[in-house]
Amino acid sequence: MLASDIRARFLAYFEKNGHAIRPSSALVPADDPTLLFTNAGMVQFKKVFLGMEDAPDGSRRATTSQKCVRAGGKHNDLEQVGHTARHHTFFEMLGNFSFGDYFKRDAIRFAWEFITEDLKIPREHLRVTVFHEDDEARQLWKDVADVPDNRIYGLGAKDNFWQMADTGPCGPCTEIYVDLAHMAPDWAFPNDAHGEWTNTDISDYSLDAFVEGAEAGRFLEIWNLVFMQFDRQQDGTMVPLPKPSVDTGAGLERIAAVMQGVTNNFHTDLFRPLIAKVEDVVGIGYPYRPGVGLGTAVGKDGREIDPASFRVIADHARATAFLLADGVFPSNEGRGYVLRRILRRAVRHAWLLGRREPTLVHVVDVVIETMRDLYPELHVRRKHILETTRAEEERFLTTIDAGMTRFEEWAPAASTQGSTTMRGTLSGEDAFRLYDTFGFPIDLTELMARERGYLVDIAGFEQALSAQRKQSQDERKSRQITVSADDFGDPTQWTHDQQHAASLGRFVGYNVTEAETVVTAVRALPDGRVAVMLRESPFYAESGGQVSDHGTITGAGWSVSVSDVKKLDGRIAAIGVATGEITFGAAHAVVPRERRHDTERNHTATHLLHAALRHVLGEHVHQAGSLVSPDRLRFDFTHHGPLTHDQLVAIEAQVNAGVWTAAPVNTRESAYTDAVAQGAMALFGEKYGDVVRVVEISNLSVELCGGTHVRNTAEIGLMRIVSEGGVAAGVRRIEAVTGPRAFQFLADRERALVQVATRLKVPMAGTATNLEQIEKKIDALIDERRQLEKRLDEAMRGGVSGGGVAQQLAAQAAEVHGIRFIATRVEVVDVKALQSLGDSLREALGSGVAVLGAVLADGKGALLAVSTDDARDRGLRADIVVREVAATVGGRGGGKPHMAQAGVDADKLDAAIAAAAGILARLAAAG
């Protein structure tokens, strides 16, 4: 029976028995901060079970086929995936639910009837477990299903008392097991198996024998009935739920294995097409034969290959496809980091199969094709899913080879995969280098090390990571002049006006930029500035990407020039330089109207930009950071590659169309859950209270936001994108200007164009003809430059005469460990010329390695390494050479095995060149 038939039969059976079929919820829980991913069928009904919400559509019975992921947080199966028969990152959980309707008797009846009558699994091959204190469930199995008492096993809380997390819904459960020794033709006892549980001629087994057989995989759990009776509190107290309920979890993959007569989920029809695609892409056969089991996989070079790699790639393709479809994007934190770990683990296993090109993307495409009918979001977002998967694979493939080479040095293979014998410890410094330089998530490094019998010094890794973060923080602090809340958070350092000591202060800046108010507290800061709290404050405190307001506070004989604003326990503190002695009492607070209005323009335009990006690029786009200031807006967002000119034009056009429709901008307060349910965009990782502020631009955008905005989009006037680029792997950044600064931007562009036209001696009257003449003149100059570069390149090569620069350098080559080697400084104007010289020198050398350094026309230092094919085969790759040479002076670089480059400080160029010979000698000796 196909998995699709099992799924359909399950839903149809429970629909026939009064259950409403509910769609699967997304893998990202809508409003549950306790979960990274949806990991069980009951997640979407959690508030119903807690009595916080009514049952969906008023139905007290529901049934689902829920997509789930367990690859992060408490429920994390990633390490076991591929090495066991049933661990998966992505899986489907069949479920039937009773919200205070039926309870134990009917739940047991439904389960037994479906399994034995619809699926027709023989009763004699089924066994049942109950919580050892749940006498009621034990008796019901006898009464309702006629299960003999000697086939009902009482287990402890670890196995048969269910809870989703440390707190929340929980209760006793009962499970149904299938005997695979009688159901799966390819079942085989482990070589060292012995004892009562291995006897297939008896039908009754002791509790110990059953437990031992279940742990070994003979007795397979396929159905779990949770009798949800309690809500576990933080202190462990069990509070009875308002209405006792039922939650069923039945793994589709496990049931499919039973119905298809296999012991391993990966050998069902859910995975066979995926593994077949892996075979096709890597050119190696997966060694499984139906009814026989697994054999040995052999690579193209004749070496033995662990078949787990096929299973890992097949499994991770499913998780990748569904997570990307549900809006998760690869990143270095949160859900995105889990996805990146999954992707890179798959790339590593493809690498173990000999693959050096993207592999997972091809298997992901099969996932989409085979599951698109049930999950249409896969087809809708197919382009985004495939492009992102390919981009992530290509990114990791640029570093995995060098990283694996380093790993081989630091943790040489000398034991079989899965060995439990510890052979040593990979240092935290080396683990950090794999993470920082080669992009290996620490979890992947741990996994690889464990497979070879090594431990990883996690404490050392964390120390190195913390040191890097501290260095980054110190660098950021050195570049900014501000004060953190921690710097003035001590309440004993404040002087309070006792008359208004209880006042929390109120932000009134949404509606006004001036306020007649009262000073409630004052504090002198170490840097000579003061912090002032007001009863009513028009000053916006920096948050949500919007910068703090500036302005003035004036009182009787004193004033404060406000340059920063912070929140302290909900109170607003304006910070600045004081003139005169501040006194309690009346004060006048002012935020410059135009400065605030410019900030409002940019903030509202940011919301329009977010909506336009999602419309033009796809719903995978999510905000990854922002800056809203009076002079510009900066918006970081998740996307896998550079935007095309046409995309930028479309995005800018959509934003301005929204501006020119003069759409009203409305704000309201709402319960967080209600706002999200109504479609408001919430930022992942942002902390929201129970009540949130919703900013809605009529028919264009709805977001949760505490910032200040224009009243109507027409106030923005105009928005122009000034730049677009990458800031991190999978994160892009757009900078833009609005209003008067957008006009100034256009005026500056026009002025520059006029200057170009003047230099080219083209009359500039703004007509299309004049612009065409400018283009023709520029094309002519480019052609002329190209001809000159060609002549220069010929001169560098030296032609037949052999007198060129490359020939002269090659003649000066020394020899290190049998390798011809050159490390010298050269004179070139730009990187292109340096690369051209490197190409020529590589050809002139014939065999060897060269490191060239130059100070370019713009004053920047550059290193270039080239390696001939035979030198590269000895391990002297240009990318490794240039990376290590640059590192000696604090530079970074990379490239391809035959040519790579790095940027270094110009004044450290000679030191880097001097270090090159020693580095080459070390690498040559190691090779």
Side-chain angles (χ1 to χ4, degrees), residues 531-572:
V532 181
M533 290 187 182
L534 303 173
R535 187 183 62 195
E536 298 90 10
S537 175
F539 297 105
Y540 183 85
E542 180 177 353
S543 64
Q546 181 174 327
V547 300
S548 300
D549 279 330
H550 291 183
T552 58
I553 307 172
T554 56
W558 60 269
S559 66
V560 176
S561 178
V562 177
S563 59
D564 199 2
V565 189
K566 297 292 181 185
K567 278 187 180 178
L568 176 62
D569 296 331
R571 303 186 184 195
I572 298 171

Side-chain angles (χ1 to χ4, degrees), residues 819-821 838-839 841-843 845-851 864-882 896-900 920:
I819 297 290
R820 296 186 72 199
F821 175 63
D839 267 335
L841 181 55
R842 184 170 177 269
E843 182 179 336
L845 266 177
S847 174
V849 177
V851 175
L864 182 85
V866 293
S867 176
T868 59
D869 292 345
D870 60 325
R872 184 181 60 198
D873 292 341
R874 288 188 56 178
L876 300 175
R877 294 170 36 145
D879 53 341
I880 296 175
V881 171
V882 82
K896 296 181 179 180
H898 70 281
M899 177 184 287
L920 179 76

Side-chain angles (χ1 to χ4, degrees), residues 409-429:
E409 296 173 4
W410 298 331
S415 62
T416 59
Q417 289 202 353
S419 171
T420 58
T421 303
M422 291 296 108
R423 304 182 56 251
T425 300
L426 184 69
S427 73
E429 183 180 341

Side-chain angles (χ1 to χ4, degrees), residues 494-497 500-501 503 518-523 531-535 571-574 582 584:
W494 288 82
T495 302
H496 294 270
D497 179 6
H500 299 93
S503 173
V518 172
V519 176
T520 62
V522 179
R523 182 190 167 178
V532 181
M533 290 187 182
L534 303 173
R535 187 183 62 195
R571 303 186 184 195
I572 298 171
I582 301 173
F584 293 120

Side-chain angles (χ1 to χ4, degrees), residues 784-816:
E784 184 179 344
R785 177 187 171 91
R786 190 177 293 116
Q787 292 300 319
L788 290 172
E789 287 175 344
K790 183 178 179 181
R791 291 170 62 185
L792 177 62
D793 184 54
E794 290 173 351
M796 288 284 192
R797 293 178 183 274
V800 179
S801 66
V805 177
Q807 294 288 348
Q808 294 171 13
L809 291 174
Q812 301 170 16
E815 190 168 298
V816 178

